[in-house]
């Protein structure tokens, strides 16, 4: 397929989590700054029934696209809830990045990158940066790099039935909290060469990344497959275990936990959060215990940075449990996008080094 208008961009980054998929759209001039633009959409990828035409799936100009993975069609994007059955299990899998759902979300992110770039029939990305949790990085890094690198055919929103080619020339995969450390380190020069621990409270995993300056200490870094999703599931299990597969209710519970709301609604009922505080705390205690067993003493740590969607939850828990270290604790200024912004910065440095 010959491209009539090919657009080439230098660096883009994608961070695919269990709750949401974040991506960068390059740098945008705003006033006197040249900041990294970002976008986000839910990490849901419902299958489109066999024989369901793309035109029907996209009727009403819903925000998103239909992508093909493994012989099946999936809808991904901002308006994914309009195509969902309502029951979308979010299982914490060690091989999450190898699943068809993950690839569908990756293609969805590339779709938004191509749309933003105003690419014609072809977009070329010189350097793409992706992230993986600490506990699945070693075994899945190479497979993810291979999955993302090369050519991808995506629906062309300008012409129904037409396709746009997205070519990724090089892919780099780093551990997710490394992005947050890089993003914070470049913004906060006071970090210097001191010891820092990034506590990344994501949906599926709690990751912790220990570094001296920019040099990681892998022996003290790690992850545990219980974080914010496990907190929400713990509440759901006490009320109605079927809710585990209902992403709408799980997101309401998650929001109530993160915002310290007194209650949440499901159906016509209001549920108070207070009776389930111990269930939430049990999850926080378990994952924190795993973190401390790897990190060891916090006495030598100069900065503890809390990032990810659940940053405030773990920040509050740590301050309550370890008040002696509260002076070293900070919440990321942009916890939701910090990792993916750091991925973008890593890609820019890699490309600059090559040049």
């Amino acid at each position: 397929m010959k491209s009539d208008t090919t657009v080439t961009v230098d660096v883009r980054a994608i961070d695919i989590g269990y709750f949401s998929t974040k991506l960068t759209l390059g740098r945008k001039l705003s006033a006197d700054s040249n900041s990294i633009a970002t976008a986000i959409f839910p990490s849901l990828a419902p299958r489109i029934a066999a024989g369901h035409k793309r035109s029907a799936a996209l009727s009403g100009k819903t925000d998103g696209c239909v992508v093909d993975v493994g012989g099946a069609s999936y809808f991904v994007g901002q308006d994914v809830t309009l195509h969902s059955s309502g029951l979308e299990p979010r299982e914490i899998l060690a091989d999450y990045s190898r699943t068809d759902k993950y690839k569908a979300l990756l293609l969805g992110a590339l779709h938004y990158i191509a749309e933003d770039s105003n690419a014609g029939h072809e977009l070329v990305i010189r350097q793409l940066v992706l992230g993986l949790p600490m506990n699945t990085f070693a075994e899945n890094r190479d497979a993810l790099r291979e999955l993302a690198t090369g050519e991808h055919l995506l629906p062309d929103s300008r012409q129904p039935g037409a396709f746009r080619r997205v070519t990724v020339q090089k892919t780099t995969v780093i551990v997710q909290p490394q992005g947050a450390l890089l993003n914070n380190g470049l913004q906060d020069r006071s970090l210097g060469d001191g010891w820092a621990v990034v506590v990344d409270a994501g949906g599926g995993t709690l990751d912790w990344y220990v570094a001296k300056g920019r040099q990681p200490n892998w022996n003290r870094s790690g992850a545990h497959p219980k974080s914010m999703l496990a907190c929400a599931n713990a509440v759901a299990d006490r009320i109605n275990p079927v809710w585990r597969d209902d992403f709408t209710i799980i997101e309401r519970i998650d929001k109530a936990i993160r915002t310290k709301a007194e209650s949440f609604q499901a159906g016509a009922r209001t549920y108070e959060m207070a009776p389930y505080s111990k269930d939430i705390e049990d999850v926080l205690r378990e994952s924190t215990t795993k973190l401390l067993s790897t990190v060891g003493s916090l006495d030598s740590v100069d900065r503890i940075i809390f990032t990810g969607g659940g940053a405030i939850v773990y920040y509050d828990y740590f301050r309550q449990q370890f008040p002696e270290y509260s002076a070293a604790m900070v919440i990321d200024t942009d916890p939701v996008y910090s990792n993916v912004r750091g991925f973008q910065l890593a890609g820019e440095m890699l490309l600059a080094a090559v040049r």
Side-chain angles (χ1 to χ4, degrees):
M1 179 172 61
K2 184 178 180 180
S3 172
D4 58 353
T5 51
T6 299
V7 172
T8 299
V9 297
D10 284 341
V11 181
R12 292 295 184 269
I14 301 171
D15 182 16
I16 300 175
Y18 284 93
F19 273 119
S20 59
T21 296
K22 285 78 67 177
L23 57 135
T24 62
L25 302 171
R27 290 186 175 272
K28 309 290 186 183
L29 288 173
S30 176
D32 295 329
S33 66
N34 188 20
S35 59
I36 299 170
T38 57
I40 189 171
F41 62 91
S43 286
L44 296 171
R47 289 185 62 165
I48 301 298
H52 195 102
K53 295 184 180 295
R54 291 177 185 273
S55 58
L58 296 174
S59 61
K61 295 183 179 180
T62 50
D63 189 344
C65 66
V66 176
V67 297
D68 293 328
V69 179
S73 296
Y74 299 83
F75 186 92
V76 287
Q78 292 283 359
D79 290 337
V80 66
T81 56
L82 300 178
H83 302 281
S84 171
S85 66
L87 297 177
E88 302 286 346
R90 282 178 163 130
E91 300 176 272
I92 309 303
L93 305 172
D95 62 347
Y96 179 49
S97 63
R98 297 174 183 259
T99 63
D100 288 348
K101 173 185 174 180
Y102 187 99
K103 184 176 182 181
L105 295 171
L106 174 64
L107 294 177
L110 292 175
H111 160 77
Y112 280 111
I113 291 172
E115 289 285 291
D116 177 77
S117 68
N118 294 319
H121 291 308
E122 185 165 14
L123 170 68
V124 176
I125 302 173
R126 289 197 176 101
Q127 172 71 67
L128 179 67
V129 181
L130 303 171
L132 283 172
M134 292 289 306
N135 60 334
T136 65
F137 177 75
E139 59 267 38
N140 293 323
R141 173 186 54 190
D142 293 342
L144 179 55
R145 182 170 56 231
E146 182 178 348
L147 172 69
T149 306
E151 297 181 353
H152 307 279
L153 290 180
L154 300 172
D156 189 336
S157 62
R158 304 165 306 159
Q159 297 176 278
F163 290 88
R164 172 189 282 139
R165 187 201 313 268
V166 176
T167 301
V168 178
Q169 292 183 338
K170 182 181 180 181
T171 303
T172 299
V173 183
I174 65 176
V175 293
Q176 286 169 332
Q178 191 173 9
L181 182 63
L182 183 58
N183 185 47
N184 280 271
L186 291 183
Q187 292 183 16
D188 183 1
R189 300 295 181 179
S190 66
L191 284 175
D193 293 326
W195 283 97
V197 179
V198 177
V199 180
D200 183 4
T205 61
L206 179 73
D207 291 63
W208 53 94
Y209 181 75
V210 181
K212 188 176 187 298
R214 293 188 187 178
Q215 300 302 313
N217 183 316
W218 297 110
N219 288 331
R220 298 178 69 183
S221 304
H224 184 60
K226 285 188 179 181
S227 188
M228 296 308 297
L229 182 58
C231 290
N233 284 340
V235 175
D237 287 344
R238 286 281 309 279
I239 305 173
N240 185 350
V242 175
W243 285 356
R244 273 178 169 258
D245 295 337
D246 190 325
F247 67 88
T248 301
I249 296 181
I250 290 298
E251 287 181 351
R252 290 178 185 178
I253 298 173
D254 172 71
K255 182 178 180 181
I257 295 172
R258 289 185 290 104
T259 61
K260 299 182 182 180
E262 294 183 355
S263 64
F264 70 95
Q265 283 196 311
R269 292 190 58 182
T270 298
Y271 295 86
E272 299 297 322
M273 290 293 294
Y276 314 107
S277 58
K278 183 181 182 302
D279 301 280
I280 297 169
E281 187 170 328
D282 286 344
V283 175
L284 300 177
R285 181 183 301 107
E286 178 183 332
S287 53
T288 299
T289 299
K290 293 292 184 180
L291 179 152
L292 293 174
S293 69
T294 304
V295 173
S297 173
L298 296 175
D299 290 340
S300 62
V301 174
D302 301 292
R303 192 70 55 88
I304 305 172
I305 304 168
F306 294 86
T307 192
I312 184 63
V313 176
Y314 276 87
Y315 172 78
D316 287 343
Y317 181 75
F318 267 68
R319 283 175 61 88
Q320 177 187 6
Q321 298 296 317
F322 314 107
E324 65 272 28
Y325 301 118
S326 60
M329 299 178 190
V330 295
I331 297 181
D332 199 322
T333 55
D334 188 17
V336 173
Y337 293 104
S338 191
N339 280 343
V340 78
R341 289 184 192 275
F343 297 172
Q344 174 79 21
L345 293 169
E348 291 173 355
M349 289 188 290
L350 287 168
L351 200 59
V354 170
R355 287 172 174 169

